[in-house]
Amino acid sequence: MPGTKEIRAKIASIKKIQKITKAMQMVATSKMRRTQERMRAARPYAEKMRSVIGNLTEANPDYRHAFLEERAPKAVGLIVVSTDRGFAGGLNVNLFKQVLHTVRDWQQRGAEASLCLIGAKGVGFFRRLRLPIVAQQTHLGDRPHVNDLIGSVKVMLDAYHEGRIDRLLLLHNRFVSTMSQKPEVKQLLPVPASERSGLPEHWDYIYEPEASAILDGLLMRFIESQVYQAAVENVACEMVARMVAMKSATDNAGGLIEDLQLVYNKARQAAITKELAEIVSGAAAV
Amino acid sequence: MTDTIQVDIVSAEGEIFSGPARMVFVPASQGEIGILPRHAPLLTMLKPGEVRVQPPEGGEQPFYVGGGALEVQPHRVTVLADTALRARDIDEAAAQAAKQRAEETLRSKSDKIDQAKALAELERAVALLKVVERLRKIRG
C-alpha cells in the first residue's frame, strides 16, 4: 500500500488538472454562443450564393466556364478545415479519418490527392503523412475573416485552372447540435448541378459587361463563401467539442479524487492503528 | 397596389436587408442601374457604392456596399455584398482617414500593387463619403 504522502501529492496534482479543465470548459462555454451566432450570421450569404449559382447552372449561356465543366478526375484537391488548438475531443481525429478515407478512395480510382490545410492541427497531422500539401493557413483565431482565406483558396483555384487538379473537395466539421458534430465532404468544383427549380427551360441572364468576367468573379466568391462558412462552422464545432470534452475531463478528475481520497483515508487509518498497536505492545512489554 | 420586387442584401458577415421594394438602385460595374419589378434576368458585378432601396411605403433606404455581385430574377433582386455595412453605422472620420492614407500612398509612388490597392481604397472611401453626405441631407 502506498504511503499517505504519495497519495496526498497525487490528489493535489489531480485537483490542479481539474482546475485547468474546468477553466477551459468555462472559456469554451462563453465563446460557444458567440461563435454560433457568427455561424448563423454567415448562413444567409452562403445560401443566397448557392441559389444564385444554382440558377446559373440552369441557365444556358454560350460561354461555358471551366468551373462548371465536368472532366475526368486524374487529380483531386482537398481543402481541409481543422482547428488551431487541441483539447477538443475527437473532433479533429474524426475529420482526419474522413480525409484519409476520401484520399484512399480517390487513390483507388487512380487519382492523386493534394491538400490545402486550414488550421494548425491539420498541418501537424498531415505533415507526417507523405501527401503533398500545396497551401496552408493557420491561426485564424475565433473570428475567421474572409481576407485570411482568400490566399489559400486561390492556390487551389489556380491549380484547377491550370489543370493540376480536376476536382476540388471541401472537408470540414458540420455543426449538427451541441452534442454532435459530423465530418462532411462537399464538392466545390466542378460546381455540382442543382436540382430543378421552377424556372423555365430555356433562358439566360443578361451579363454585364461579359459572361466570362462575371462568372469568374462570382464563382470565386462562391468558393470563398463556402470555405468561409466552413471555417466559421468549424470554430463553432471546436468550442462545443471542447466544452463537452473538458466537462467530462472535469467530471473524471472529480471521480478520481474521490477514489484516491478513500484510499488515502484507509492508508491513514491503517498507519494510526499500526502505531497504536506498537505503543500498546510496547507498554505491555515494560 | 403597386408591383413590388423582393430585395435581399447579404454579406459574408450577415444579412443586411430583406424586404419588398418598388425600385432598387445599385452601383453596377458599368454604372448605376435602377431595377423595377419584372426586370429581365441579369447578372453583374458591383462597384463600391450605395444601394438604394425604395420600400413600398415610400421613402428611400441607403446601404453601403464595398463591391460584390448582383443577381436579378423577375421578382427577386439579390445583392451579394463583399463588405456591406448599414450606411448609418459608417464612421465618416474613418472614411476620411482611409482616403487620406490612400492619397498619400498614391503620391509616394510605390510599386504597382500598392498603387492598385490605394486606388481601390480611394474609390471605396469616396463612395462612403457620398453616402454619409446624403444621409446628413436627409436628416437635415
Side-chain angles (χ1 to χ4, degrees), chain A residues 92-220:
Chain A
N92 284 318
V93 178
N94 288 342
L95 180 69
F96 296 158
K97 266 190 208 150
Q98 178 67 55
V99 173
L100 292 179
H101 186 77
T102 311
V103 167
R104 213 173 307 130
D105 224 34
W106 283 103
Q107 278 171 344
Q108 272 165 9
R109 280 189 255 172
E112 295 290 313
S114 54
L115 300 172
C116 163
L117 301 173
I118 295 166
K121 281 284 147 191
V123 174
F125 182 83
F126 288 105
R127 209 175 33 196
R128 277 177 279 148
L129 304 168
R130 262 178 247 121
L131 289 169
I133 299 170
V134 291
Q136 66 182 58
Q137 171 75 46
T138 57
H139 302 295
L140 292 172
D142 298 337
R143 303 185 57 163
H145 204 276
V146 186
N147 286 347
D148 303 326
L149 298 169
I150 287 174
S152 34
V153 172
K154 189 158 166 36
V155 173
M156 296 314 261
L157 294 186
D158 286 346
Y160 189 86
H161 261 307
E162 289 158 18
R164 276 181 283 126
I165 57 172
D166 306 300
R167 203 164 281 237
L168 183 60
L169 305 174
L170 174 67
L171 293 99
H172 70 105
N173 279 300
R174 197 161 65 84
F175 186 94
V176 183
S177 71
T178 317
M179 296 315 289
S180 157
Q181 300 89 38
K182 287 218 167 65
E184 193 175 53
V185 188
K186 231 188 255 167
Q187 180 173 325
L188 294 179
L189 291 177
V191 176
S194 69
E195 292 95 57
R196 303 212 60 81
S197 50
L199 292 166
E201 281 287 325
H202 286 285
W203 66 281
D204 195 10
Y205 286 108
I206 304 167
Y207 298 94
E208 230 170 271
E210 57 187 11
S212 64
I214 292 166
L215 289 183
D216 253 349
L218 200 61
L219 287 165
M220 209 164 82

Side-chain angles (χ1 to χ4, degrees), chain A residues 38 41-46 48-49 51-53 55-56 143-146 199 203-209 213-215 217-218 221 225 228, chain B residues 8 10-15 28-31 33 39-46 67-73 76 78-83:
Chain A
R38 218 164 283 138
R43 230 170 234 169
Y45 185 82
K48 283 282 169 329
M49 193 52 118
S51 80
V52 170
I53 296 292
N55 291 346
L56 194 64
R143 303 185 57 163
H145 204 276
V146 186
L199 292 166
W203 66 281
D204 195 10
Y205 286 108
I206 304 167
Y207 298 94
E208 230 170 271
I214 292 166
L215 289 183
L218 200 61
R221 281 182 174 79
S225 83
Y228 174 76
Chain B
D8 293 296
V10 290
S11 82
E13 273 96 36
E15 193 179 74
S29 57
Q30 304 285 290
I33 55 172
H39 193 288
L42 167 75
L43 209 55
T44 185
M45 301 309 281
L46 299 179
L70 171 83
E71 190 221 16
V72 180
Q73 290 284 348
R76 177 175 288 275
T78 310
V79 177
L80 298 159
D82 284 350
T83 43

Side-chain angles (χ1 to χ4, degrees), chain B residues 26-40:
Chain B
V26 292
S29 57
Q30 304 285 290
E32 186 175 67
I33 55 172
I35 298 151
L36 284 162
R38 289 201 289 265
H39 193 288

